[in-house]
Amino acid sequence: MRFRVVPAAYVLLLRGTGAGAEVLLQLRQNTGYRDGHWAAAAAGHVEADESVFAAACREAAEEVGVKIEPADLEPLTTMHRTHANHDPIDERVDFFFGCHRWAGEPRLMEAAKAADLEWFPLAALPDPVVPHERYVLDGLRENALATITAFGF
């Protein structure tokens, strides 16, 4: 059976490198999806007629108030993801980017959708983290993230 996938862009704002690297995460609330879980500080659907790079930059501005140049986005992995329930909304392709450089100070811009915004060491992530995002963060920490990944199959 053919299905359509929902594309999304994720931006992992990172500071530091190696074992001491930190990632900025938001605590989801009032979204209807994984509320009470920590998640990428900036992520969202790719809109019609928008490139994934433009979507990533737009989401970072909307959700944490920073300006990112597309050239500063480092592709980390593309994840083909499913909930295996045959619901088209749950068939996804997620584009994960890392970013070490941006303009502005990250701050919580959508307080109705996020209860908190904090930096965490990749080696000491909070619990719980949205499962597919935890998979990417663990792979990043272990330097074992494949270019293309599948989750939920």
Side-chain angles (χ1 to χ4, degrees):
M1 170 185 357
R2 284 189 175 179
F3 60 86
R4 292 189 178 163
V5 296
V6 177
Y10 293 71
V11 180
L12 299 176
L13 294 180
L14 301 163
R15 61 184 186 190
T17 58
E22 294 180 312
V23 62
L24 187 64
L25 300 177
Q26 64 169 299
L27 183 60
R28 298 178 63 85
Q29 73 173 359
N30 302 320
T31 67
Y33 179 78
R34 301 283 183 181
D35 291 331
H37 284 67
W38 290 91
H45 295 149
V46 177
E47 303 293 338
D49 300 319
E50 180 180 52
S51 76
V52 70
F53 298 101
C57 294
R58 175 183 52 75
E59 290 291 346
E62 289 176 0
E63 295 190 9
V64 292
V66 298
K67 180 174 174 34
I68 295 175
E69 295 298 327
D72 290 324
L73 294 170
E74 174 192 347
L76 297 174
T77 191
T78 298
M79 176 181 280
H80 185 201
R81 179 168 60 93
T82 185
H83 284 258
N85 60 11
H86 303 289
D87 186 348
I89 194 70
D90 288 330
E91 303 297 336
R92 305 285 181 141
V93 173
D94 300 327
F95 299 89
F96 285 86
F97 297 98
C99 185
H100 285 91
R101 187 169 60 188
W102 55 85
E105 187 63 32
R107 63 194 185 283
L108 196 57
M109 300 289 291
E110 297 180 328
K113 295 181 182 179
D116 202 357
L117 186 69
E118 290 187 38
W119 290 98
F120 292 96
L122 284 174
L125 295 172
D127 191 41
V129 173
V130 173
H132 70 280
E133 295 184 40
R134 178 67 188 241
Y135 179 89
V136 171
L137 292 166
D138 288 345
L140 184 60
R141 181 189 73 247
E142 296 165 7
N143 198 26
L145 196 55
T147 303
I148 299 174
T149 56
F151 189 89
F153 289 91

